[in-house]
């Protein structure tokens, strides 16, 4: 009897160990698989129809995405930090009128441009963010300055602009941010509000809620960083703030898991704490980056308000693995690895 009990106990221990080993090996990368560095960017996710993008238009977006990511790639390849790579890469996208950030920011209901941004250091969990600024040329630079040179995480509106001036950041007149494309988008949204019985109303309003730029990177020192910058939502009112400047929703970075930048309908990304949720699934459920991103973006987010949680994320983990997950018809995106391999995409397929 004693021998039988001993045998059964030993068998139970062996089976348990085998089960634990399988669970761990499934999501654990060997050091030999770790990339020296990696970078991924997005220029916003949304309901993009191929018919609305001429070959020339697609070429313009892809060229700008490539230009931006190569800036970050060169920094990382030369041994620079992930924070510098994230900031300088986003600067390129902020300076382009193609994307809803910086120069290309959309208009509020009052016909102004209001910018939000955030950045996070995966090594220290330090972060900086700004919201509702109107004169700071590159909001991601302000977010970095808030992280490095203030005791705070987030500054908003007039106070944030005062801080930006004190730090010597580039200040521009509000007219700098004017683009014909963004003004026409505001006019379409306002016009559609008067035709609520048409399908155009639903499509136009959905399209008005998307648009952000972001970057996530792993450097040669093993440090992760992420940043996000946006002009927010077309026709937004009452000082609305989305997820982009909110740590844990629009941006998150932790060397133990991943670095994430979000893009989509901000209200749902805030409610879902999307960026942090992906990191938490990796930390507490031992999911891989790919598994965690898919669970949040394809399952958890769309479950909010009968499928209204639309958008996507880009992310990189501590081994250099990249995720570009979205539940919309498209997301401007690009990635490069330590071998110099480049991928640029717009549509889902």
């Amino acid at each position: 009897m004693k021998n039988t009990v001993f045998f059964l106990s030993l068998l139970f221990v062996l089976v348990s160990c085998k089960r634990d080993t399988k669970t761990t090996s499934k999501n654990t990368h060997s050091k030999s698989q770790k990339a020296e560095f990696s970078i991924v960017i997005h220029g916003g996710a949304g309901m993009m129809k191929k018919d609305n993008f001429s070959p020339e238009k697609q070429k313009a977006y892809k060229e700008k995405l490539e230009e931006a990511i190569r800036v970050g790639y060169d920094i990382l390849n030369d041994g620079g930090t992930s924070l510098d790579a994230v900031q300088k890469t986003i600067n390129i996208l902020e300076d382009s009128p193609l994307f809803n950030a910086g120069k290309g920011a959309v208009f509020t209901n009052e016909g102004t441009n209001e910018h939000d941004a955030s950045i996070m250091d995966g090594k220290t969990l330090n972060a900086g963010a700004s919201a509702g600024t109107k004169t700071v040329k590159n909001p991601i630079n302000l977010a970095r300055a808030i992280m490095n040179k203030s005791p705070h995480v987030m500054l908003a509106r007039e106070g944030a602009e005062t801080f930006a001036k004190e730090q010597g950041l580039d200040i521009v007149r509000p007219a700098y941010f004017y683009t014909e494309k963004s003004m026409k988008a505001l006019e379409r949204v306002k016009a559609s509000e008067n035709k609520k019985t048409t399908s155009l109303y639903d499509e136009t309003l959905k399209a008005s809620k998307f648009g952000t730029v972001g970057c996530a990177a792993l450097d040669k020192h093993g440090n992760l960083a992420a940043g996000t910058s946006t002009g927010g939502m077309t026709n937004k009112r009452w000082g609305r703030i989305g997820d982009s400047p909110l740590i844990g929703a629009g941006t998150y970075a932790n060397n133990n898991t991943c670095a994430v930048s979000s893009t989509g309908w901000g209200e749902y990304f805030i409610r879902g704490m999307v960026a942090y949720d992906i990191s938490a699934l990796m930390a507490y459920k031992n999911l891989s980056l790919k598994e965690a991103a898919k669970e949040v973006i394809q399952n958890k987010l769309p479950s909010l308000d009968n499928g209204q949680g639309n958008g996507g994320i880009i992310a990189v983990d501590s081994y250099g693995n990249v995720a570009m997950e979205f539940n919309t018809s498209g997301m401007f995106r690009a990635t490069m690895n330590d071998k110099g391999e480049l991928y640029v995409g717009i549509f889902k397929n």
Side-chain angles (χ1 to χ4, degrees):
M1 183 66 181
K2 287 184 178 179
N3 290 336
T4 300
V5 172
F6 174 78
F7 176 77
L8 290 174
S9 299
L10 180 61
L11 182 62
F12 175 77
V13 170
L14 290 174
V15 169
S16 298
C17 290
K18 187 176 182 181
R19 185 184 298 119
D20 289 342
T21 301
K22 282 185 176 180
T23 301
T24 303
S25 62
K26 177 183 177 184
N27 297 314
T28 300
H29 302 75
S30 67
K31 290 184 178 180
S32 62
Q33 291 176 300
K34 184 173 182 179
E36 194 174 16
F37 63 90
S38 187
I39 185 169
V40 59
I41 66 174
H42 71 77
M47 305 304 178
M48 302 172 186
K49 294 182 178 180
K50 269 191 176 182
D51 294 343
N52 295 335
F53 285 80
S54 66
E56 293 76 19
K57 190 174 182 180
Q58 291 184 45
K59 183 173 181 289
Y61 276 101
K62 287 183 176 181
E63 286 180 347
K64 186 56 65 173
L65 288 168
E66 180 175 348
E67 177 189 347
I69 201 165
R70 287 193 180 279
V71 167
Y73 171 85
D74 288 344
I75 291 172
L76 297 172
N77 192 43
D78 291 341
T81 68
S82 53
L83 281 167
D84 284 345
V86 166
Q87 180 182 351
K88 297 303 181 183
T89 297
I90 290 177
N91 283 162
I92 300 297
L93 301 175
E94 287 179 329
D95 290 344
S96 169
L98 293 174
F99 304 98
N100 179 17
K103 172 65 177 173
V106 299
F107 285 96
T108 68
N109 179 263
E110 292 76 26
T112 60
N113 307 104
E114 296 182 1
H115 306 84
D116 309 325
S118 62
I119 195 168
M120 187 168 184
D121 181 355
K123 179 181 179 180
T124 63
L125 301 188
N126 199 7
S130 63
T133 60
K134 298 180 180 180
T135 63
V136 180
K137 182 175 182 286
N138 293 106
I140 196 67
N141 294 355
L142 174 55
R144 180 88 183 267
I146 292 169
M147 178 178 74
N148 291 337
K149 299 179 180 180
S150 86
H152 309 298
V153 170
M154 181 184 288
L155 299 179
R157 304 190 182 282
E158 293 82 3
E161 292 183 333
T162 297
F163 180 79
K165 292 174 183 176
E166 291 175 354
Q167 298 304 314
L169 300 183
D170 288 341
I171 303 299
V172 295
R173 294 177 181 274
Y176 164 82
F177 301 108
Y178 179 92
T179 63
E180 192 69 20
K181 180 188 73 168
S182 293
M183 179 53 70
K184 287 183 177 179
L186 175 63
E187 292 170 354
R188 285 195 300 272
V189 172
K190 286 189 172 183
S192 70
E193 287 182 327
N194 299 322
K195 301 176 182 178
K196 295 185 179 181
T197 58
T198 68
S199 60
L200 175 64
Y201 174 73
D202 292 332
E203 290 185 10
T204 304
L205 287 194
K206 282 183 179 180
S208 73
K209 293 173 171 60
F210 300 97
T212 317
V213 304
C215 179
L218 169 71
D219 62 31
K220 290 183 178 181
H221 312 289
N223 295 321
L224 292 166
T228 310
S229 182
T230 188
M233 179 191 297
T234 298
N235 200 38
K236 63 183 179 182
R237 310 183 193 194
W238 311 299
R240 178 261 186 189
I241 302 294
D243 65 302
S244 295
L246 301 184
I247 301 303
T251 300
Y252 190 73
N254 187 321
N255 276 8
N256 295 321
T257 53
C258 61
V260 183
S261 174
S262 305
T263 172
W265 194 334
E267 278 67 17
Y268 295 98
F269 279 72
I270 294 170
R271 289 162 59 183
M273 289 299 289
V274 165
Y276 176 74
D277 199 21
I278 291 170
S279 173
L281 286 173
M282 295 176 68
Y284 303 135
K285 294 193 70 174
N286 197 35
L287 297 189
S288 68
L289 174 61
K290 184 177 180 179
E291 291 168 335
K294 184 175 182 180
E295 171 63 22
V296 173
I297 299 301
Q298 304 299 344
N299 298 326
K300 299 179 74 173
L301 194 59
S303 69
L304 298 174
D305 286 357
N306 298 315
Q308 295 297 311
N310 296 322
I313 61 94
I314 51 98
V316 58
D317 69 14
S318 57
Y319 292 90
N321 298 309
V322 165
M324 298 180 286
E325 195 74 34
F326 54 101
N327 59 32
T328 55
S329 58
M331 181 171 74
F332 298 110
R333 60 199 186 277
T335 184
M336 287 188 77
N337 60 21
D338 54 355
K339 299 178 180 64
E341 297 169 332
L342 170 70
Y343 168 81
V344 182
I346 298 176
F347 307 104
K348 185 175 285 290
N349 299 316

